[in-house]
Amino acid sequence: MSKISAAITSVFGYAPEDKLTNQDLEKMVDTNDEWILSRTGIKERRIQKEGATSDMGVKIMEGLLAKRGITPEEIDLVICTTATPDYVFPATANVICDKIGAKNAWGYDLSAACSGFIYGLTTGAQFIQTGMYKKVVIIGIDKMSSIIDYQDRATCIIFGDGGGAVLLEPNEEGLGFQDAILRSDGAGRQYLLMKAGGSAKPASRETVENREHFVYQEGKTVFKFAVTNMAETAAEVMERNNLTADDIAWLVPHQANKRIIDATADRCGVPAEKVMVNIERYGNTTNGTIPLCLWEWESQLKKGDNLILAAFGGGFTWGAVYIKWAY
């Protein structure tokens, strides 16, 4: 009997139509297009003006299932990786399942900031590989505009809304999920977090007045940590699987900052033409960046292609996943 692996059999992405350009931000905070572009690589980001994270998730799920030609009732499990859930509870995964009619699925949210999608992909793969389930959906999606302070020029230039999803199914050809190296260090929480709204600091008039329900980031510290760790785990997962840059078809990095992407590619020895980059059009969609890349590059992917997915997020969380494309 062949060993079962968890393969991606469908991918779909979505970003809202409304754009927030660097020129728009020039009118809102003390910044300019040249400064933003040179430091982040971002020209514009998408903004969801109406609806919740789950509403984007519904569009993504419907597109994903239609491409694969299956019904919502066939889905076993939905893992929604998000930093902007509809509610503290219930889980956004369950809200999405209800809205699309996935009556036979159970689901939960996974919170790991920008690393959430690769955490979720690794987790979902286990349910397939053990033979427990046949169809698992991993959604990476965020409405970051709901937690961004558009008076804070350090963060409002970076983030956007959108995301994507993949369908995992059993594969007996050795394709799909191969390996992952995942890490976290809670000591980094003070540098990238939302200060209020949780049990440590519940919402109050004071927390609202102090604008503590928005993303706070100490940029230099986060940048330094991200450059080192995202790059090192990507290189480590390649070395552990005896892969050279020549063996890699695509590096799929989290779209946080163009300089972090470049540093990761350099550490792995992967040339720019084999690195997926769309940060200039979407900004950092947190959990949404990697599935958005897979969706946009899908037509260029070939069966058997080696892909390295790498991410870094608040908390701190980081890691890399090695997959073989299955179609």
Side-chain angles (χ1 to χ4, degrees):
M1 184 176 172
S2 300
K3 182 184 175 185
I4 296 171
S5 58
I8 294 173
T9 58
S10 184
V11 59
F12 198 82
Y14 171 80
E17 290 183 10
D18 288 300
K19 296 177 182 178
L20 181 67
T21 67
N22 291 350
Q23 287 73 24
D24 294 328
L25 287 168
E26 288 176 356
K27 301 168 188 172
M28 299 163 65
V29 290
D30 182 15
T31 191
N32 62 73
D33 175 62
E34 183 185 10
W35 192 91
I36 296 171
L37 196 55
S38 64
R39 284 161 177 78
T40 67
I42 302 168
K43 293 180 181 178
E44 61 187 35
R45 58 294 291 140
R46 303 295 183 89
I47 303 296
Q48 186 194 25
K49 292 187 175 178
E50 295 181 1
T53 294
S54 66
D55 294 312
M56 290 192 288
V58 167
K59 288 183 171 71
I60 291 168
M61 280 282 283
E62 287 175 345
L64 184 79
L65 301 183
K67 275 178 70 176
R68 187 65 179 138
I70 60 176
T71 66
E73 290 86 356
E74 293 178 69
I75 300 301
D76 299 307
L77 168 65
V78 175
I79 301 174
C80 182
T81 67
T82 185
T84 54
D86 285 19
Y87 313 99
V88 174
F89 70 91
T92 303
N94 294 343
V95 175
I96 293 169
C97 285
D98 176 58
K99 287 181 176 180
I100 69 161
K103 300 296 184 184
N104 299 313
W106 66 283
Y108 61 91
D109 292 356
L110 192 158
S111 175
C114 299
S115 303
F117 183 77
I118 63 170
Y119 274 35
L121 185 66
T122 303
T123 305
Q126 311 311 308
F127 287 98
I128 297 290
Q129 289 172 181
T130 60
M132 190 171 186
Y133 295 129
K134 296 283 191 264
K135 290 177 173 60
V136 175
V137 174
I138 315 298
I139 306 175
I141 189 166
D142 273 297
K143 183 181 178 178
M144 291 304 293
S145 61
S146 66
I147 59 169
I148 294 300
D149 183 353
Y150 287 96
Q151 295 178 23
D152 177 12
R153 67 175 184 173
T155 56
C156 73
I157 65 172
I158 298 169
F159 296 95
D161 302 342
V166 296
L167 174 65
L168 295 178
E169 295 186 84
N171 182 282
E172 294 186 358
E173 299 176 87
L175 302 171
F177 181 89
Q178 303 293 312
D179 194 13
I181 296 172
L182 304 174
R183 302 273 187 265
S184 66
D185 183 357
R189 66 189 180 278
Q190 62 185 306
Y191 305 112
L192 180 50
L193 79 162
M194 188 194 298
K195 294 180 178 180
S199 61
K201 198 171 190 181
S204 66
R205 175 178 288 185
E206 182 184 10
T207 64
V208 173
E209 289 174 349
N210 291 338
R211 308 183 75 80
E212 293 181 324
H213 294 266
F214 297 116
V215 172
Y216 167 81
Q217 176 170 282
E218 196 172 298
K220 288 183 179 178
T221 304
V222 174
F223 177 83
K224 185 177 179 182
F225 206 91
V227 164
T228 302
N229 289 282
M230 186 167 136
E232 284 304 316
T233 49
E236 187 181 347
V237 83
M238 285 174 62
E239 289 161 10
R240 192 157 84 178
N241 290 277
N242 300 310
L243 298 168
T244 68
D246 290 339
D247 299 319
I248 302 302
W250 294 98
L251 173 65
V252 193
H254 166 55
Q255 310 287 301
N257 180 298
K258 183 62 164 60
R259 292 184 292 171
I260 296 173
I261 293 170
D262 291 343
T264 302
D266 288 345
R267 175 65 181 86
C268 296
V270 177
E273 61 268 21
K274 295 204 292 186
V275 183
M276 295 185 189
V277 183
N278 59 14
I279 189 172
E280 73 279 358
R281 289 179 289 115
Y282 299 116
N284 181 352
T285 56
T286 304
N287 288 277
T289 68
I290 289 176
L292 269 174
C293 281
L294 293 174
W295 173 57
E296 288 208 314
W297 268 264
E298 182 186 20
S299 64
Q300 298 183 54
L301 299 175
K302 299 188 295 294
K303 186 175 180 178
D305 276 355
N306 292 317
L307 275 60
I308 300 294
L309 285 49
F312 177 87
F316 291 131
T317 61
W318 69 98
V321 173
Y322 165 37
I323 64 171
K324 280 184 176 290
W325 198 249
Y327 63 95

